[in-house]
Amino acid sequence: MERGKGVVTAARFAQGMTFDQYVAYVGSPGNLAREAGWWLGPHGTTSGAFLRESYERAGLGDAQIAAIRWLAAQPNGPRSFS
């Protein structure tokens, strides 16, 4: 890979799942079969509910939010693809 070139282009990023789509996919029969039981979450299951609960418990602090906003405001900072 060339230095300075990202592997996630705007077109590739646009093909990705939303968080809600990903949560639904995690617990889907197709994904569970693909995972072949290599990781079992609480109560012996892998589920979107566990992922959703973990996400909701985690949060950014005020300093982290301020840092992200500062980075996004920089001349060459991260930008939205929309």
Side-chain angles (χ1 to χ4, degrees):
M1 183 171 91
E2 290 182 43
R3 290 195 180 271
K5 296 274 186 181
V7 294
V8 180
T9 64
R12 185 172 176 205
F13 182 83
Q15 293 174 352
M17 294 181 214
T18 65
F19 182 73
D20 288 334
Q21 289 168 331
Y22 181 72
V23 169
Y25 169 74
V26 167
S28 70
N31 182 57
L32 294 175
R34 183 184 67 83
E35 294 293 333
W38 72 268
W39 181 81
L40 295 177
H43 313 295
T45 63
T46 301
S47 71
F50 173 72
L51 180 61
R52 169 83 53 203
E53 290 167 12
S54 298
Y55 175 79
E56 289 174 358
R57 278 195 308 271
L60 297 177
D62 292 340
Q64 293 166 313
I65 293 169
I68 292 168
R69 287 184 176 149
W70 179 84
L71 283 169
Q74 299 309 300
N76 292 316
R79 297 284 187 254
S80 170
F81 289 114
S82 55

